[in-house]
Amino acid sequence: VVGLLYPCIDSHLGEPHKFKREWASVMRCIAVFVGINHASAKLDFANNVQLSLTLAALSLGLWWTFDRSRSGLGLGITIAFVATLITQFLVYNGVYQYTSPDFLYIRSWLPCIFFSGGVTVGNIGRQLAMVITA
């Protein structure tokens, strides 16, 4: 759904996305997202604020490198906000539980992962929505 939302919003706003439109760029974006996700789990920081700020900078760097559109930034922030609210709701109702939450009921770096995931899936959706003209 998120991948389909990006090309729809692009066409609705009238600003087609023309930045690095090839599968190699999409695959690089996926690799960077996997790296950011791996860093959130494996890197050891002094405190969670440091980790959250580092992941926020990496997520914005991912957006800047592979998207650079206003619609991509807006949808990424919206996706991060909505997904974080849904996760908060699930944890609050006991469906899921974090071992050491530090931001209400979840980890503080989770919105950064949702943002970078939204940008990555959006790039996949945009690439799949491209019409090949001969």
Side-chain angles (χ1 to χ4, degrees):
V1 171
V2 171
L4 295 174
L5 203 61
Y6 273 77
C8 291
I9 295 294
D10 287 344
S11 65
H12 180 67
L13 292 177
E15 59 176 45
H17 187 264
K18 296 186 190 276
F19 186 70
K20 292 185 181 176
R21 299 292 299 240
E22 69 271 349
W23 278 108
S25 177
V26 173
M27 295 307 292
R28 283 189 295 270
C29 183
I30 292 169
V32 171
F33 169 69
V34 169
I36 290 172
N37 195 13
H38 187 72
S40 70
K42 297 295 181 182
L43 291 180
D44 198 21
F45 283 85
N47 55 30
N48 286 322
V49 174
Q50 207 174 32
L51 174 62
S52 297
L53 291 175
T54 302
L55 289 178
L58 288 172
S59 298
L60 285 174
L62 177 110
W63 169 79
W64 182 257
T65 304
F66 297 105
D67 193 338
R68 290 190 195 176
S69 68
R70 290 182 304 149
S71 60
L73 180 64
L75 277 171
I77 291 170
T78 303
I79 289 164
F81 181 73
V82 170
T84 302
L85 283 179
I86 292 170
T87 306
Q88 290 275 14
F89 178 76
L90 291 174
V91 171
Y92 180 75
N93 287 319
V95 176
Y96 189 72
Q97 181 179 358
Y98 283 95
T99 53
S100 57
D102 59 352
F103 175 66
L104 299 177
Y105 303 105
I106 62 169
R107 300 299 304 247
S108 60
W109 46 261
L110 196 59
C112 300
I113 299 299
F114 287 139
F115 176 82
S116 58
V119 170
T120 302
V121 172
N123 278 337
I124 294 169
R126 283 176 172 152
Q127 189 66 31
L128 288 173
M130 280 184 51
V131 177
I132 299 174
T133 56

